[in-house]
Amino acid sequence: MQDTGKTLPLGTLAKGTRAEITALDENAVKTPLPKGELERRLIEMGFVEGAVVEILHEGFPRRDPIAVRVADHTVALRRAEADAILVRRLDVQKAS
Amino acid sequence: MSDDIPPPRVALVGNPNSGKTALFNALTGSRHKVANYAGVTVEKKEGNFHSPAGTRVKVLDLPGTYSLRARSPDEAVTRDVVLGRMDGEDVPDAIVFVADATNLRLALRLALELKQLGLPAILALNMMDAAEKQGLGVDPAVLSAELGMPVVPTVAIKKGGIQPLLDQIDRTLQVAESEGWAVRRTECGWSEPSSHQLRDLTREVERILARAIHAPAQPHMATRRLDKVLLHPFAGLMILLTVLFLMFQGVFSWAQAPMELIDAGLAACTDWITASFPDGALRSLVTDGVIAGVGSVVIFLPQILVLFFFIQVLEDSGYMARAAFLLDKLMGGVGLHGRAFIPLLSSFACAVPGIMAARTIENRTDRIATIMIAPLMTCSARLPVYTLIIAAFVPDHDVLGGWVGLRGLVMFTLYAAGILSGLLVAFVMKRTVLKGAREPLLMQLPAYRLPHPRNVLLGLYDKGKAFLMRAGTTIFALMVVVWFLASFPAPPDGATDPAIRYSIAGAIGHALEPLLAPIGFNWQIALALVPGMAAREVAVGVLGTIYALSDSGDSLRGSLANVLSHSWSLPTALSLLAWYVFAPQCLATLGVVRRELNSRFWPAAMFVFLTTLAYGAAFATYRIAGWMTGG
């Protein structure tokens, strides 16, 4: 709760966490895509500043990929790419 | 309308999972055909219907997409058609934009992009029934005013559910006609948006939604509850494995009866022709070439239909995306994309539809890796060969305290060997020739829906037709070539050996013999491998001919097993099994790879690497087995 204001990459969050997107930064991750492509794809899937996200499910093994609820829909993505989405935690349901 | 004016064309555009295909089916019923766009292996679905005003309208189902900036060959087709850049395709006269009413955010952003094209457009709020059940209150009039295009609610799977859309298509086309189809232009108002412009569009969507929606849709609770189990890291994977097992079981057991029926039908056909026509080259071509050859492919139709039935149901229900989610990390271990699992699964029936199913993989490198290992999944054409050799050489013992039969265990080992070597090949390829990080996974997990029987049946119909067309063209041509090689020249008078020994195929078999001797193959096997190129299981029939057996079908296998167990050594038999795990000699597979990847290099590479693996594995098996049996 005390770190509510801090900005974190979405890929580091655990299942059950709710957060608000503060920025997109594709330079923070390694991607095979041309410059600017990952950011635009993320926006097209609804990952924009201000959107509220919640991590619903984690894959196996290593809790990857993750299923993220964005507004009204759910998107599956890998943690590696989720790190390009910077978020501010809204609440923590479980201390982990 | 007079006949010389081409009918107006309407294109369906929308996000994946928006129910676009269901709407297409509701509009056209079975009055549609599936073909390919010129130069690309993307399916083109076109149909027609009569509007309430009596106009014949052509309708085109374009691949689902989230944006006009295409990510995959499929999405590129959608962009090129609506922009009029597609060779051989005119710009559509109107666009019906299909939006899942429960999921408007992503849809409206694309709708705004499409609006820039300046084409007459209609927004179909599809799945309105589900949206209302979830409590969505949306005002189509406000939406229409904000978007600047007519908005009609539709329920594609309900009778009468598309009437408002049909009426609106009439109105839109009338307006377009009265304006002299002014929109058939070359310039268009779309250019690839920057991330700034995309953000602006997103903000615009939020503004529109705030005005048009007075009651937000509640989350689909059944989906959330199901996903808790189906996406659970452990339970979810176990359920997926169970589903795959049932599918597998279904493919082999449900298809049994119809396959036997086809087999009997073909045999009756052959008998009738043999009895009614004089012996000669033509009769031989029809019976041994056409019926035997094409028949050996058509016989897999039941299995392929059962397989596609499962795939279609899983796809329509929304489970397929979950399967890709569950397997993404595991398959990522060897560098494969989560989506690769459907093509690989299909390959257990036949590699041809499997390779075609790889179209859904966006990234070309990922797609090539998947296609290259598809033939390593044991297809059902290899079963007759496995069954024959196992029956001849593996004693019918129980092992592990009576729990498992030795024969079943050998069969399982052969399947496992195929899968493991496939994963190994993928692993090596992704680290050498097909380097490059995996394409990002950015995939919507749609709400679960009950598959609609009409959509499943129409999907099956298209798939079955595509398979038969292939059997009727490519494979037919190959069969005739192989038949020719195996029949000419005819044996000299007074020949004692089977006729095929004197043919070109026989000569090839003999030429290959020294090459195959180190892996324990005799000339009979070498010879059987040549027609086996057309279809693997044909090898069984050829062995029957060579060992001068006149039986057919199961009795052939029975007596042939008996003969083989006396004339082959155990190392030779095991070596042939090892060879068939890799079985590089399926021309239909190589042909479809050439077509799908539009390349001569990849089928050649596939042939070389599979042959090398088959030879290496057979060599090792022969030597080790020889050493162990003291030979």
Side-chain angles (χ1 to χ4, degrees):
Chain A
M1 314 273 165
Q2 62 271 32
D3 57 359
T4 294
K6 217 169 73 184
T7 296
L8 294 160
L10 179 65
T12 62
L13 300 187
K15 187 173 156 178
T17 318
R18 269 163 40 88
E20 185 189 327
I21 299 178
T22 55
L24 298 181
D25 179 14
E26 65 162 33
N27 295 322
V29 302
K30 239 180 79 186
T31 165
L33 302 175
K35 200 172 149 48
E37 179 64 24
L38 181 62
E39 182 181 356
R40 285 190 283 178
R41 286 195 194 178
L42 288 171
I43 298 172
E44 281 161 3
M45 295 306 286
F47 293 101
V48 282
E49 288 80 358
V52 173
V53 294
E54 179 184 352
I55 303 199
L56 293 182
H57 307 282
E58 294 169 328
F60 173 85
R62 281 190 273 162
R63 301 172 178 281
D64 195 24
I66 48 176
V68 182
R69 209 169 104 86
V70 200
D72 294 335
H73 59 279
T74 309
V75 177
L77 75 169
R78 302 196 187 113
R79 287 192 184 269
E81 277 102 27
D83 280 345
I85 304 165
L86 300 176
V87 297
R88 185 172 57 82
R89 250 186 237 217
L90 289 177
D91 54 25
V92 183
Q93 296 191 335
K94 235 189 295 175
S96 52
Chain B
M1 244 191 205
S2 70
D3 282 344
D4 42 40
I5 304 170
R9 296 169 77 246
V10 170
L12 300 184
V13 184
N15 292 156
N17 312 306
S18 57
K20 198 166 49 60
T21 300
L23 197 63
F24 178 83
N25 288 341
L27 283 170
T28 66
S30 56
R31 289 183 308 275
H32 74 270
K33 58 177 198 279
V34 183
N36 269 324
Y37 289 98
V40 283
T41 52
V42 174
E43 265 182 12
K44 171 184 173 178
K45 263 177 100 172
E46 201 170 25
N48 60 71
F49 65 93
H50 286 275
S51 72
T55 315
R56 198 166 81 89
V57 182
K58 273 183 139 180
V59 52
L60 192 64
D61 186 14
L62 290 173
T65 182
Y66 289 103
S67 93
L68 289 182
R69 308 175 321 98
R71 300 193 221 167
S72 66
D74 282 39
E75 296 180 4
V77 163
T78 302
R79 178 199 60 204
D80 290 346
V81 169
V82 297
L83 292 182
R85 290 182 191 163
M86 193 79 187
D87 283 342
E89 296 289 326
D90 293 327
V91 187
D93 297 305
I95 288 176
V96 172
F97 183 78
V98 188
D100 171 2
T102 62
N103 203 344
L104 280 174
R105 224 166 233 101
L106 303 187
L108 290 190
R109 218 218 58 260
L110 179 55
L112 288 177
E113 249 186 87
L114 278 169
K115 209 181 89 177
Q116 299 171 358
L117 301 179
L119 289 170
I122 302 166
L123 178 72
L125 283 178
N126 202 19
M127 309 200 215
M128 232 4 237
D129 52 340
E132 276 164 4
K133 252 182 231 152
Q134 284 172 239
L136 179 78
V138 60
D139 189 339
V142 176
L143 209 51
S144 172
E146 291 287 346
L147 289 170
M149 61 175 91
V151 175
V152 286
T154 54
V155 183
I157 55 170
K158 219 174 71 188
K159 223 176 156 68
I162 58 163
Q163 195 56 43
L165 176 64
L166 288 171
D167 295 338
Q168 184 57 52
I169 289 176
D170 259 340
R171 282 195 290 274
T172 300
L173 289 176
Q174 265 157 24
V175 171
E177 197 186 5
S178 69
E179 289 168 0
W181 307 109
V183 290
R184 283 185 179 161
R185 74 277 167 267
T186 46
E187 282 304 303
C188 78
W190 184 84
S191 62
E192 195 166 300
S194 67
S195 58
H196 271 294
Q197 289 166 317
L198 284 175
R199 283 189 175 89
D200 289 344
L201 286 176
T202 313
R203 269 193 289 276
E204 173 73 357
V205 168
E206 292 300 333
R207 191 188 63 76
I208 296 174
L209 286 177
R211 293 208 50 195
I213 291 184
H214 46 84
Q218 297 305 306
H220 196 245
M221 288 320 286
T223 296
R224 300 200 103 183
R225 258 177 253 137
L226 274 171
D227 271 343
K228 278 215 168 81
V229 184
L230 295 180
L231 288 183
H232 187 273
F234 179 75
L237 273 172
M238 287 303 118
I239 293 170
L240 175 61
L241 284 180
T242 313
V243 169
L244 296 186
F245 178 79
L246 287 177
M247 238 170 115
F248 216 65
Q249 195 66 26
V251 165
F252 287 107
S253 59
W254 297 1
Q256 190 77 32
M259 284 175 86
E260 278 163 11
L261 212 65
I262 293 178
D263 202 22
L266 289 168
C269 217
T270 307
D271 287 348
W272 179 77
I273 290 172
T274 311
S276 332
F277 294 92
D279 197 5
L282 188 63
R283 191 181 85 179
S284 163
L285 171 65
V286 173
T287 55
D288 302 339
V290 179
I291 298 183
V294 176
S296 64
V297 179
V298 171
I299 197 153
F300 294 114
L301 185 65
Q303 283 191 340
I304 284 168
L305 287 182
V306 172
L307 183 82
F308 279 129
F309 169 78
F310 277 103
I311 291 178
Q312 190 80 40
V313 167
L314 293 182
E315 191 95 60
D316 287 2
S317 64
Y319 185 72
M320 220 42 128
R322 269 76 180 181
F325 175 87
L326 286 168
L327 290 172
D328 187 71
K329 190 76 182 178
L330 288 171
M331 311 243 310
V334 294
L336 289 172
H337 199 279
R339 289 207 180 123
F341 112 97
I342 302 169
L344 294 181
L345 192 70
S346 310
S347 300
F348 282 103
C350 175
V352 172
I355 288 164
M356 284 158 65
R359 288 175 185 176
T360 52
I361 302 172
E362 293 156 12
N363 179 288
R364 186 166 164 94
T365 318
D366 289 349
R367 190 163 157 226
I368 292 174
T370 309
I371 288 178
M372 294 305 268
I373 65 166
L376 288 171
M377 306 300 121
T378 303
C379 67
S380 45
R382 271 173 261 190
L383 272 178
V385 181
Y386 286 177
T387 323
L388 170 70
I389 297 173
I390 288 175
F393 290 94
V394 180
D396 197 3
H397 283 185
D398 282 346
V399 288
L400 298 176
W403 281 95
V404 186
L406 186 58
R407 288 180 168 175
L409 193 66
V410 171
M411 187 68 95
F412 175 79
T413 311
L414 292 170
Y415 271 90
I419 298 170
L420 288 178
S421 52
L423 296 180
L424 197 69
V425 168
F427 183 80
V428 171
M429 275 198 306
K430 285 296 281 185
R431 264 150 201 81
T432 51
V433 284
L434 293 174
K435 254 190 221 152
R438 287 193 298 161
E439 182 85 355
L441 175 84
L442 261 178
M443 176 183 64
Q444 208 182 338
L445 299 177
Y448 290 106
R449 308 251 179 246
L450 218 51
H452 192 269
R454 178 177 63 198
N455 296 327
V456 173
L457 287 180
L458 283 172
L460 266 185
Y461 171 79
D462 288 342
K463 297 261 166 57
K465 203 167 134 190
F467 178 76
L468 284 181
M469 294 286 279
R470 186 136 307 111
T473 53
T474 322
I475 300 176
F476 171 77
L478 290 172
M479 293 298 177
V480 171
V481 170
V482 169
W483 168 83
F484 180 82
L485 293 180
S487 311
F488 290 98
D493 291 337
T496 45
D497 282 327
I500 191 173
R501 245 202 115 161
Y502 304 95
S503 67
I504 304 174
I508 298 173
H510 269 287
L512 287 176
E513 198 191 338
L515 282 175
L516 296 175
I519 58 175
F521 289 5
N522 51 26
W523 70 264
Q524 289 93 335
I525 298 178
L527 212 156
L529 289 181
V530 179
M533 299 210 30
R536 286 159 180 139
E537 72 284 6
V538 170
V540 174
V542 174
L543 283 173
T545 319
I546 298 171
Y547 286 100
L549 293 163
S550 52
D551 300 330
S552 66
D554 287 342
S555 49
L556 165 71
R557 251 170 254 153
S559 46
L560 185 57
N562 208 358
V563 174
L564 293 187
S565 66
H566 292 104
S567 49
W568 290 1
S569 69
L570 180 65
T572 292
L574 293 179
S575 168
L576 185 59
L577 282 181
W579 172 274
Y580 258 88
V581 168
F582 302 98
Q585 67 277 48
C586 176
L587 288 176
T589 304
L590 296 173
V592 82
V593 172
R594 150 125 181 69
R595 215 180 67 104
E596 291 291 299
L597 291 178
N598 201 6
S599 139
R600 283 172 205 278
F601 172 76
W602 287 110
M606 178 184 266
F607 182 77
V608 170
F609 102 82
L610 285 178
T611 310
T612 311
L613 280 179
Y615 197 89
F619 184 79
T621 309
Y622 185 62
R623 295 291 140 168
I624 293 169
W627 173 70
M628 280 171 64
T629 53

